[in-house]
Amino acid sequence: MSFELPKLAYAYNALEPYIDAMTMEIHHTKHHAAYTNNLNNAIKDSENENKSIEEILKNISKYPMVVRNNGGGYYNHNVFWEIMSPNGGGEPKGDLLQAILKDFGSFEKFKESFNNAAATRFGSGWAWLVNQNGKLVISSTPNQDNPLMDVAEIKGTPILAIDVWEHAYYLKYQNRRPEYINAFWNVIDWNLVAKRFV
Amino acid sequence: MIFELPNLPYASDALEPMISKKTLEFHHDKHHAAYVTNLNNLVKGSKFEEADLETIIKYADGGIFNNGAQVWNHTFYFEQFGKDKIHMLKNGAFSDAVYRDFGSLDIFKDKFSNASKTLFGSGWTWLVKKPDGTLDIVQTSNAANPMRDGLKPILTCDVWEHAYYIDYQNKRADYIENFWKIIDWAVIAKRY
């Protein structure tokens, strides 16, 4: 089995004006595609070919860096595309909202804390909302690491992700990462995030 | 001490088309400037308030290190270019060292390019002079600087995406290929 670059559920221009079409297209067809290809090449003809990406990531400390970097890059972008849509924005409902209120006090406080994690990640990386058996926490990871990895400081299942590699926002926002982070809230589809919160 | 943003040693369009005016303006006027501002704010009231950049690079951690090293790294990066001043590498102590330690200038360039292409994430590639006088190539992540390890930087390539994304997007290899066309070898030889 080899991993496949997923198709997006929306057009490249669907997240305009928050994320521009050119950024989306390069991000998906070049960056994400390269991680996918590099991952497949790295595990070709080995026992890992039949493992799920989650299985690989959970034991990533036993793999070479090329698998960590590209396996993370493959998985992280899958999550990122999955939780965005042109119907995004607003606030979550139901169990997810209750969990956020319980663990952060208010949606605004959660948002502030997530924004801070995304803005202060130095260099390339990601910020996450992580489910730890029903408890929600925020974390950030360098490069293509993620909370599924056994090397992560804060472990759990990521249910929301923002890519803060410069390639995620540089064509439209250049050095203004906080503007990109603010815009991101308009494309988070909370119904899709809720599906990951199980 | 109060750190100041040095001016670019050339006009912002001087490196076109290898590095665009737009890239240089963001890189210098926004990124480099922000590191200077952040550093000045962070050292205030800290034990590094009177320290110079080299001391910060050797001993600081966290935000002071990140911003201090990035101030130094960018100044060092911008100073080594000059499209109209490109000299072939002249015979001398530096070229002797390149041939001695790498075999030829082309072999060195290949190895340095490869190190720049394969650095994962944000960071810098360096040609350094080791304490024994020999040359080596090292990669550092994010703000890290080889002086911390007692190595003397001679040449650097910034591979943070902000250094090339407007001009080259995901094609980092093209940026690195063009990087060689604007290197002022007289500056590099003098550093050695």
Side-chain angles (χ1 to χ4, degrees):
Chain A
M1 186 185 93
S2 61
F3 294 103
E4 270 181 42
L5 180 68
K7 289 206 167 70
L8 301 193
Y10 39 82
Y12 290 130
N13 65 2
L15 307 181
E16 298 256 12
Y18 308 109
I19 302 180
D20 61 287
M22 187 177 174
T23 294
M24 286 298 297
E25 184 167 356
I26 295 174
H27 204 171
H28 181 243
T29 64
K30 305 293 182 187
H31 293 281
H32 197 188
Y35 292 125
T36 308
N37 289 336
N38 294 341
L39 171 63
N40 285 330
N41 288 333
I43 61 169
K44 200 162 55 182
D45 302 325
S46 76
E47 54 176 31
N48 300 306
E49 269 192 328
N50 299 315
K51 289 187 178 155
S52 71
I53 188 64
E54 287 84 359
E55 271 182 279
I56 292 174
L57 296 176
K58 277 174 187 166
N59 296 296
I60 204 70
S61 60
K62 301 186 182 101
Y63 289 84
M65 279 309 285
V66 63
V67 177
R68 175 166 164 182
N69 290 338
N70 292 291
Y74 170 71
Y75 176 88
N76 298 347
H77 288 90
N78 287 355
V79 177
F80 187 54
W81 309 135
E82 182 186 317
I83 53 88
M84 295 191 288
S85 95
N87 310 313
E91 296 187 10
K93 295 186 213 100
D95 291 349
L96 178 55
L97 179 64
Q98 291 314 313
I100 286 174
L101 296 179
K102 176 170 70 74
D103 293 323
F104 300 99
S106 71
F107 183 73
E108 278 313 308
K109 278 188 194 156
F110 152 69
K111 198 171 159 177
E112 202 180 299
S113 170
F114 186 87
N115 282 351
N116 188 53
T120 56
R121 165 52 52 189
F122 189 74
S124 301
W126 293 75
W128 308 94
L129 177 61
V130 181
N131 180 6
Q132 297 180 321
N133 299 317
K135 182 181 161 53
L136 294 177
V137 293
I138 285 166
S139 79
S140 84
T141 53
N143 293 338
Q144 295 296 355
D145 285 359
N146 68 44
L148 287 182
M149 292 180 175
D150 57 2
V151 296
E153 228 170 282
I154 294 179
K155 294 183 198 52
T157 307
I159 64 167
L160 172 68
I162 183 169
D163 187 348
V164 293
W165 281 59
E166 288 171 323
H167 68 233
Y169 60 87
Y170 210 78
L171 295 180
K172 184 172 173 72
Y173 298 96
Q174 296 87 41
N175 60 306
R176 301 180 303 281
R177 188 194 287 187
E179 268 183 43
Y180 156 69
I181 296 168
N182 279 332
F184 174 68
W185 293 92
N186 296 293
V187 292
I188 299 173
D189 189 325
W190 290 105
N191 293 322
L192 301 172
V193 179
K195 280 189 189 165
R196 296 185 59 83
F197 181 57
V198 284
Chain B
M1 60 190 283
I2 307 285
F3 297 99
E4 280 180 29
L5 176 68
N7 290 327
L8 281 178
Y10 35 75
S12 55
D13 62 358
L15 307 180
E16 296 256 14
M18 277 64 88
I19 297 179
S20 69
K21 181 172 193 277
K22 189 175 173 191
T23 292
L24 263 191
E25 283 175 352
F26 277 108
H27 205 172
H28 176 265
D29 304 353
K30 304 292 183 185
H31 292 279
H32 199 182
Y35 293 125
V36 172
T37 305
N38 294 342
L39 180 64
N40 282 327
N41 290 334
L42 288 167
V43 295
K44 229 176 277 171
S46 82
K47 66 176 175 181
F48 293 100
E49 191 154 8
E50 302 302 323
D52 60 14
L53 284 178
E54 295 200 11
T55 304
I56 287 171
I57 287 170
K58 280 188 182 140
Y59 302 108
D61 291 303
I64 294 181
F65 173 79
N66 285 342
N67 286 284
Q70 285 294 73
V71 171
W72 194 98
N73 297 349
H74 282 91
T75 301
F76 192 76
Y77 172 78
F78 291 131
E79 275 174 355
Q80 66 193 3
F81 299 127
K83 194 177 70 173
D84 300 324
K85 298 189 278 188
I86 304 212
H87 307 291
M88 297 301 288
L89 180 55
K90 285 189 181 146
N91 288 334
F94 175 64
S95 73
D96 289 349
V98 169
Y99 280 79
R100 181 192 66 210
D101 296 332
F102 296 101
S104 76
L105 182 61
D106 283 342
I107 296 172
F108 157 65
K109 282 160 79 173
D110 274 355
K111 287 190 169 159
F112 187 94
S113 293
N114 193 47
S116 304
K117 282 179 226 169
T118 56
L119 197 168
F120 193 74
S122 300
W124 301 78
T125 321
W126 306 85
L127 174 66
V128 295
K129 184 179 171 184
K130 298 197 283 193
D132 67 5
T134 59
L135 295 171
D136 201 2
I137 295 168
V138 295
Q139 301 168 316
T140 61
S141 281
N142 293 339
N145 180 301
M147 290 193 292
R148 181 111 172 177
D149 303 316
L151 304 168
K152 182 181 162 61
I154 306 294
L155 168 72
T156 194
C157 185
D158 186 350
V159 295
W160 283 60
E161 288 173 321
H162 67 231
Y164 61 87
Y165 212 78
I166 289 173
D167 301 332
Y168 301 95
Q169 295 86 46
N170 60 305
K171 300 183 287 293
R172 187 194 283 187
D174 291 358
Y175 157 67
I176 295 163
E177 195 183 320
N178 280 339
F179 165 86
W180 295 113
K181 299 178 186 161
I182 48 174
I183 293 292
D184 185 338
W185 288 103
V187 171
I188 309 301
K190 206 170 156 196
R191 286 172 175 171
Y192 178 80

